[in-house]
Structure formats: C-alpha cells, structure tokens
Amino acid sequence: MKNSLLKESQQLHRAAQKILTASRLLSILKEFGTVKCTGSYAADLMMKPDVDIYVMASSFTKKRVLQAYNKILKIPNFYMCAFFDYVRHRHPDLAIPRAYYMKLNAVGKKRERWKIDLWFLTPKDLKKVKHFDLLTQEIAPVQKQAILQFKKIREKYVYSIHSHLIYDAVLEHNILTLPALKRFLKKK
C-alpha cells in the first residue's frame, strides 16, 4: 500500500504539471504578482486532482483581479471559472483567507475532473494561512505516508475533512494511525 499511494500521488502531480504547462496559467498569473504553488501539489502529497496557487502582491483591487479573471477566461483548457470576493464578504469558515478567490475546473488526459484554486492575497493575509508552505517543514517519510493514507481514506469515506486538519494532526501532533486521527478529529 505504501508504494501504491506514493505512485498515485506522483501520477497526480505529473498530471497537474501537464495541465499547468499546457494552459500557461502560471505565466499569466505572474503578470499579477508573485506566484506560489502550495498545498499537496507543492509538497507532492496529492490524493485528488486539486491544485492550490497563491498570487501575492502588496495590494490587490477587485478591478485588478478581474483583469486576471478575464485573461484566464480565454484559456481553452478550463471549462469553468468562478470568482469569489472573500475580501469584502468574509467566508464563514475563518480558515479561508481574506482574499479574492477563483475556482477553475479542467478535464485531464484520463477524463478526470481537476479543480484549481487561485488565491489573490497580500503577504499579511497569507501569514494567517496555516500550513501554507509545507516545503519549509521537514516531512519525514513516515509522516508523508500517514498524510497520504489519511487523504486516501478521506477521499473514499469522509470527504468533509479539510487537508489542513490532516496536516495539523500529522505534522504538529505526530498522529500516524487512523484511531489516533479519529480521536484528534473528535476534539476539533
């Protein structure tokens, strides 16, 4: 199981790279700020076709972000693009950063549906995002395996568990077994 989860994660990572390269999304985003791929894609901990990208600048206006939105709409690789203003209208989940957010959907080579999350925010707001930069943390192989296993279980049975809770459990509390994760989640 260990090797199969790692292989699955690596396959998803390669597929994500192909979508990002083919769409030229990252080069378009660089026109609007510093671009940072984050989350499971950046840490090579993918268990679902989902990529998180942060675009950072000292300030953003809605007008400026809508310019990016209009450029992205012209990319044929994406069949859906939605815009959310979490700067003016705070998301009820306070773990969601104060940002302008775009949700993009694409179809991969194997007909899988991809979700790409784009967050336009300032460095100040980015500092509030927990586990933003997983690459700065040393992730031991046993922790990586636990994260992949928990994400696989989540995808199969309990989709509502956020990745940041899994990262928190494993990286901050060294939880490596499913029974320990269940106890941890009950406290949250």
Side-chain angles (χ1 to χ4, degrees), residues 71-170:
K71 282 193 166 205
I72 292 166
L73 282 176
K74 294 175 184 168
I75 301 173
N77 306 64
F78 303 114
Y79 66 86
M80 198 270 297
C81 182
F83 177 85
F84 300 85
D85 181 349
Y86 294 140
V87 172
R88 187 163 180 230
H89 306 281
R90 288 294 292 143
H91 193 282
D93 180 350
L94 296 179
I96 302 293
R98 183 179 174 275
Y100 295 105
Y101 167 74
M102 287 182 218
K103 175 184 171 184
L104 310 178
N105 288 116
V107 176
K109 293 275 188 211
K110 296 180 180 176
R111 308 296 305 152
E112 73 278 17
R113 296 189 184 277
W114 281 84
K115 179 173 76 93
I116 300 174
D117 298 313
L118 305 178
W119 301 90
F120 293 80
L121 69 174
T122 65
K124 177 184 157 194
D125 289 317
L126 182 63
K127 285 181 183 176
K128 299 173 187 171
V129 178
K130 196 166 188 176
H131 302 296
F132 151 71
D133 197 355
L134 291 173
L135 294 179
T136 62
Q137 292 182 293
E138 282 288 321
I139 302 176
V142 67
Q143 290 176 311
K144 195 171 200 172
Q145 185 61 38
I147 290 168
L148 292 174
Q149 179 183 358
F150 295 157
K151 283 182 161 195
K152 187 66 172 182
I153 291 166
R154 173 193 65 187
E155 296 310 306
K156 203 169 185 180
Y157 303 108
V158 194
Y159 189 75
S160 62
I161 301 170
H162 290 283
S163 291
H164 72 87
L165 286 174
I166 293 173
Y167 298 140
D168 192 40
V170 175

